[in-house]
């Protein structure tokens, strides 16, 4: 019995002594050398995936050759990759694609026609005397939907950032309908 106990203690000590956390050591000024082993096909795949993820399309025309020139300048260095990715941010498709991805997650792909239809309905109700008691609510919803419609334009103009876009996607009539109820709304906004 004592042998089994000693054996169990030895096993436990060896397991726990092997579970030490080591901290990463960072050396200032330590720059990794350029990697000469990255071939053109790897760069082409990287370029293609970057375009698809950020712009929703493959590179067209001379875009792939321009990107290859940027990436080959210093053997696929971190600075060259950063420069390439920055060049994608300036393309006109970037903000609409970013909005589409977030719209899919937050609003289940509510399209502009659905938003316009709901705006029409709210504006129609504003002209009906029977709805006078909820005019302030209708104005509130119209304002939220108007700002939702302008998200891509505001982002393209630099007026709105990514966080502001997400706030507008979570603060509108459609998000409320999808996440109806106080508990669902709180859970969904926390998760998103």
């Amino acid at each position: 019995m004592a042998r089994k106990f000693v054996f169990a203690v030895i096993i436990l000590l060896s397991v726990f002594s092997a579970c030490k956390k080591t901290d990463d050591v960072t050396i200032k000024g330590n720059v990794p050398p350029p990697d000469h082993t990255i071939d053109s096909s790897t760069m082409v795949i990287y370029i293609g995936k970057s375009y698809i993820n950020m712009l929703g399309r493959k590179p067209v025309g001379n875009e792939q050759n321009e990107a290859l020139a940027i990436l080959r300048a210093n053997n696929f260095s971190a600075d060259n990759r950063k420069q390439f990715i920055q060049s994608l941010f300036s393309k006109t498709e970037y903000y609409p694609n970013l909005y589409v991805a977030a719209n899919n997650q937050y609003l289940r792909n509510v399209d502009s026609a659905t938003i316009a239809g709901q705006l029409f309905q709210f504006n129609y109700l504003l002209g009906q005397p029977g709805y006078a008691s909820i005019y302030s609510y209708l104005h509130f919803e119209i304002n939220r939907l108007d700002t939702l419609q302008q998200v891509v334009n505001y982002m393209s103009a630099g007026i709105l950032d990514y966080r502001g876009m997400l706030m507008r996607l979570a603060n509108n009539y459609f998000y409320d309908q999808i996440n109806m109820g106080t508990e669902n709304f709180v859970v969904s906004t926390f998760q998103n």
Side-chain angles (χ1 to χ4, degrees):
M1 181 75 160
R3 276 180 126 181
K4 289 182 181 178
F5 178 74
V6 171
F7 183 70
V9 169
I10 291 172
I11 296 287
L12 286 174
L13 286 176
S14 64
V15 167
F16 287 117
S17 66
C19 296
K20 289 183 181 178
K21 181 183 178 203
T22 57
D23 293 327
D24 291 336
V25 177
T26 304
I27 301 171
K28 291 182 181 180
N30 185 19
V31 178
D35 188 353
H36 301 286
T37 63
I38 298 174
D39 61 353
S40 292
S41 62
T42 303
M43 288 187 201
V44 168
I45 292 169
Y46 176 78
I47 292 165
K49 286 185 177 185
S50 298
Y51 266 83
I52 290 169
N53 287 334
M54 296 182 70
L55 304 179
R57 64 173 177 84
K58 291 183 179 181
V60 293
N62 203 29
E63 290 176 332
Q64 184 168 308
N65 293 332
E66 291 170 0
L68 278 170
I70 292 171
L71 295 173
R72 284 184 179 148
N74 289 316
N75 294 319
F76 208 64
S77 69
D79 287 336
N80 291 111
R81 292 191 305 270
K82 184 177 179 180
Q83 180 184 357
F84 164 64
I85 296 299
Q86 289 290 336
S87 73
L88 296 180
F89 291 150
S90 64
K91 301 239 183 233
T92 57
E93 303 100 321
Y94 174 68
Y95 290 115
N97 190 57
L98 188 64
Y99 174 78
V100 166
N103 183 0
N104 181 27
Q105 180 181 355
Y106 282 62
L107 300 178
R108 299 184 185 155
N109 288 327
V110 170
D111 62 359
S112 58
T114 305
I115 296 170
Q118 191 62 51
L119 276 168
F120 177 80
Q121 183 177 5
F122 286 149
N123 280 310
Y124 173 77
L125 294 176
L126 278 176
Q128 303 300 314
Y131 291 92
S133 62
I134 62 167
Y135 280 175
S136 61
Y137 168 75
L138 293 172
H139 283 292
F140 172 74
E141 291 297 350
I142 289 169
N143 184 41
R144 294 197 311 166
L145 289 178
D146 281 338
T147 58
L148 179 63
Q149 278 188 320
Q150 297 301 320
V151 165
V152 174
N153 295 335
Y154 288 163
M155 289 184 75
S156 297
I159 298 170
L160 189 66
D161 63 358
Y162 182 72
R163 178 173 277 171
M165 176 190 70
L166 296 180
M167 288 171 53
R168 281 165 178 75
L169 286 169
N171 184 19
N172 62 72
Y173 174 79
F174 295 105
Y175 191 84
D176 292 349
Q177 297 305 307
I178 293 167
N179 301 291
M180 195 176 290
T182 305
E183 183 178 345
N184 290 341
F185 183 80
V186 170
V187 170
S188 68
T189 52
F190 178 75
Q191 289 175 343
N192 288 329

